[in-house]
Amino acid sequence: MLQAIVKLDIIRSLTQTCRFSGLKIYPGRGMLYIRVDGQQFLFLKQKCKALFNQRKRPAKLAWTTTYRKQHRKDQEQQVSRRKKRSTARVAVRSVAGASLEVIAKKKAEKPEQRKASREAALREIKERTKKAKAEKSAQKAAARAQGQAARVPKAGKR
């Protein structure tokens, strides 16, 4: 097991990159091209060498690493910069039932005042519901009284 790990590390250190595509070239692969001026180019495969000789630009071929870098592919491998968070702008405008002045006044209120006005509004709503219930029950009682008075006893069977 230890020997396998050591071999892998040696292979990793021996890998080179293709001068055209930018892909890894493992030991025993690729071809070395030496120009007349003595400059050496290592290519992964014949395809890369042929395209290089045709003076094609690797940045225009979608499968090369230079193209992928230019067009921002493989972003998860690169260290991503932190994005600036834009603060949400608060739109100041009147809402359905309240005008701008009313909204501004409510914003400016102190918490104690706000609490007091809220309790007053709740109290008013409760009183309104109580009043409605009382009226409803009074109407029901009146209807019952009328219903009993209007009833005529049925004639029994003979």
Side-chain angles (χ1 to χ4, degrees):
M1 180 70 179
L2 186 63
Q3 285 179 335
I5 294 170
V6 172
K7 282 184 181 177
L8 280 173
D9 287 338
I10 292 168
I11 290 172
R12 273 196 206 119
S13 64
L14 292 175
T15 57
Q16 296 173 322
T17 56
C18 176
R19 286 288 289 267
F20 186 80
S21 67
L23 299 170
K24 285 182 185 176
I25 301 173
Y26 291 95
R29 300 281 171 170
M31 53 182 63
L32 187 64
Y33 171 69
I34 304 170
R35 237 181 357 203
V36 177
D37 63 353
Q39 198 170 5
Q40 296 181 356
F41 297 94
L42 192 64
F43 298 112
L44 178 63
K45 46 192 166 188
Q46 177 61 35
K47 176 183 180 180
C48 297
K49 185 182 169 196
L51 290 167
F52 177 80
N53 287 335
Q54 292 171 34
R55 300 196 188 284
K56 300 285 184 192
R57 288 186 51 215
K60 289 191 171 188
L61 298 169
W63 55 273
T64 60
T65 53
T66 51
Y67 175 91
R68 295 187 74 74
K69 280 180 187 171
Q70 273 191 358
H71 294 82
R72 302 208 172 153
K73 310 292 182 189
D74 303 327
Q75 284 293 327
E76 59 273 355
Q77 290 176 1
Q78 296 175 359
V79 178
S80 59
R81 293 185 200 152
R82 288 185 180 175
K83 292 180 183 176
K84 290 182 180 179
R85 290 183 183 171
S86 59
T87 54
R89 291 180 183 171
V90 179
V92 182
R93 58 176 182 232
S94 57
V95 185
S99 65
L100 267 175
E101 296 83 31
V102 174
I103 293 170
K105 199 183 289 180
K106 283 194 175 185
K107 269 190 178 180
E109 271 185 358
K110 289 185 177 177
E112 299 88 32
Q113 285 179 326
R114 199 175 292 142
K115 192 175 181 183
S117 63
R118 186 170 183 264
E119 287 174 357
L122 286 171
R123 212 176 302 116
E124 182 192 341
I125 290 168
K126 284 180 183 176
E127 287 173 7
R128 221 183 298 143
T129 54
K130 273 187 185 178
K131 196 175 181 184
K133 263 189 181 179
E135 283 179 14
K136 204 172 185 180
S137 62
Q139 283 177 352
K140 277 187 178 178
R144 270 193 217 138
Q146 281 181 353
Q148 285 179 356
R151 273 192 197 164
V152 179
K154 291 181 180 177
K157 288 184 181 178
R158 290 184 198 185

